[in-house]
Structures are given as structure tokens and as C-alpha cells.
Amino acid sequence: LVASGSRVVVTMEHTDRNGSPKILQECSLPLTGQRVVSRIITEKAVFDVRDGGRGLVLIELAQGETIESIRTATGANFDVSDGLGLMRQS
């Protein structure tokens, strides 16, 4: 499935119950596929994943979050999109 060439979007909680980041620089769990994720969506933010595993780009923030609060809650480096926006509420 992950090798199908389709877009892979991961939805997850941004931190664990202790507040530790779940988005990390390197995965510490067994992988089903390497460098296949295109986007990560959490309750705090949305990141695009650059092709070839070249890092993350913050593209949307949840209401009440700041770039600094996302940096604190994220265990990986990321760039901020010039078009950074707010996440839409459903």
C-alpha cells in the first residue's frame, strides 16, 4: 500500500500523554515504508513532508498555537511556509 505511489497522509496526536513529541527527527519504531509520507496532520498543526525526506514545512497552525509552541511540541526541525495559515475548524 505505501509503495503504491499515492499520497500518504498521517493523522496523529502531536504529543504523547506525558507531553513528549511524537513527531521526531528519526522514527524509533519499525517502518512499513521509508520516506512515503506526504503530510502530517495533528490537533496542533499541519506539516508537508519534503520529497526525499528533506524535512518538514509547517503550513497550518491550530487556533491558539504559535510557531514557538509548535517548535516546543515537535521533536524534529521544520521550516515555516511563507503562506502559513490557520487550520480550518470542522
Side-chain angles (χ1 to χ4, degrees):
L1 180 63
V2 294
S4 69
S6 62
R7 185 173 165 92
V8 177
V9 177
V10 172
T11 58
M12 59 184 278
E13 293 180 344
H14 207 101
T15 58
D16 66 19
R17 67 179 67 145
N18 299 317
S20 297
K22 291 176 78 173
I23 300 173
L24 305 173
Q25 200 68 37
E26 290 187 33
C27 187
S28 59
L29 300 172
L31 299 174
T32 56
Q34 289 186 326
R35 296 186 172 116
V36 296
V37 175
S38 303
R39 179 165 285 173
I40 301 170
I41 302 172
T42 76
E43 76 282 3
K44 296 177 179 287
V46 179
F47 295 93
D48 274 344
V49 181
R50 288 191 174 118
D51 290 339
R54 295 186 348 255
L56 303 173
V57 179
L58 178 64
I59 61 169
E60 294 182 6
L61 291 173
Q63 189 75 30
E65 296 292 341
T66 64
I67 294 170
E68 273 313 305
S69 71
I70 299 302
R71 286 204 192 280
T72 300
T74 306
N77 297 327
F78 61 85
D79 293 323
V80 178
S81 171
D82 290 338
L84 180 66
L86 285 177
M87 291 171 66
R88 289 178 271 168
Q89 300 284 325
S90 56

